Amino acid sequence: MTGNDAVEIKFLMEQIANSQSLMNEIEKQENLVTYLSNKQESYHKRGLVNVKNVLLIAVWISLANIIAGTIFQKNPSAIVIALVEIFIVGLPIALIVLFKNKAKSTQREVNKECDNLANMKNNSTLNWLPFNYRDSFSYKYIAKYIHNGRAYNLKEAINLLETEQHQARRF
């Protein structure tokens, strides 16, 4: 290690210490975005939006007509039959609308929180760190490499991170 390396390590340690609280907030925000994205995906999957589920609704409507016709054949009460059909047909349609609306609402929330995350990553406290590495995962590993002496400067720490990620993807 040279004198320049020592100066670089000292500078990086100060930057890491100064940005620790911001990175903790970024990690919380990343977790929130992940949670909301998973929630939105769940609503989307349950929202009966694909062709298979549309066919299911058609079968459901047919069954409603058959059930209503056979149950009330002896005592045809138009009001009762209409109510049963409305319930049987309306329930899946109401669920579709509900889940689609929840998916859209959650997607808007995801977009808002992603914007908040991007703003946090643009904070001047992190100017020492290239933008592509301003996530909690990269930050933790870069900080660890500097603290443990595995890297003497930011370039070495980033290269070490990239190498380890590449090896992890291979195996």
Side-chain angles (χ1 to χ4, degrees):
M1 174 165 57
T2 67
N4 286 342
D5 290 338
V7 170
E8 176 78 12
I9 288 173
K10 182 179 179 190
F11 170 78
L12 288 173
M13 298 279 248
E14 288 172 0
Q15 296 303 316
I16 289 167
N18 291 339
S19 55
Q20 183 63 52
S21 63
L22 177 59
M23 287 309 297
N24 289 341
E25 292 302 313
I26 286 175
E27 183 175 21
K28 289 177 188 174
Q29 191 69 18
E30 289 169 341
N31 291 337
L32 176 61
V33 168
T34 300
Y35 167 77
L36 290 173
S37 295
N38 290 340
K39 185 176 170 183
Q40 190 273 338
E41 182 65 26
S42 171
Y43 287 143
H44 182 73
K45 284 180 181 177
R46 292 188 288 168
L48 304 175
V49 292
N50 58 29
V51 174
K52 174 184 77 174
N53 292 325
V54 171
L55 292 175
L56 179 65
I57 291 171
V59 169
W60 191 258
I61 291 170
S62 299
L63 285 175
N65 286 326
I66 292 169
I67 291 170
T70 56
I71 290 177
F72 301 108
Q73 192 172 26
K74 295 178 184 172
N75 186 8
S77 171
I79 295 174
V80 174
I81 292 173
L83 289 174
V84 170
E85 285 185 354
I86 288 171
F87 176 76
I88 293 174
V89 171
L91 183 63
I93 292 171
L95 289 174
I96 290 170
V97 171
L98 173 75
F99 285 123
K100 283 183 81 174
N101 287 341
K102 282 188 173 186
K104 285 179 186 177
S105 170
T106 307
Q107 184 60 51
R108 283 191 296 272
E109 197 174 349
V110 167
N111 292 343
K112 180 184 130 203
E113 297 303 334
C114 283
D115 289 344
N116 290 343
L117 180 60
N119 289 336
M120 293 169 86
K121 288 182 176 183
N122 283 324
N123 189 302
S124 62
T125 306
L126 297 175
N127 283 347
W128 63 274
L129 190 60
F131 188 81
N132 289 345
Y133 301 96
R134 293 181 188 179
D135 59 90
S136 60
F137 177 84
S138 299
Y139 173 84
K140 285 178 184 177
Y141 276 88
I142 289 170
K144 184 175 82 170
Y145 299 147
I146 299 297
H147 284 289
N148 292 343
R150 291 186 63 197
Y152 294 128
N153 57 48
L154 185 58
K155 182 180 176 183
E156 287 179 8
I158 290 172
N159 285 338
L160 187 55
L161 172 66
E162 292 288 345
T163 299
E164 289 187 358
Q165 285 181 332
H166 176 71
Q167 287 174 348
R169 285 189 298 266
R170 286 184 57 198
F171 299 108

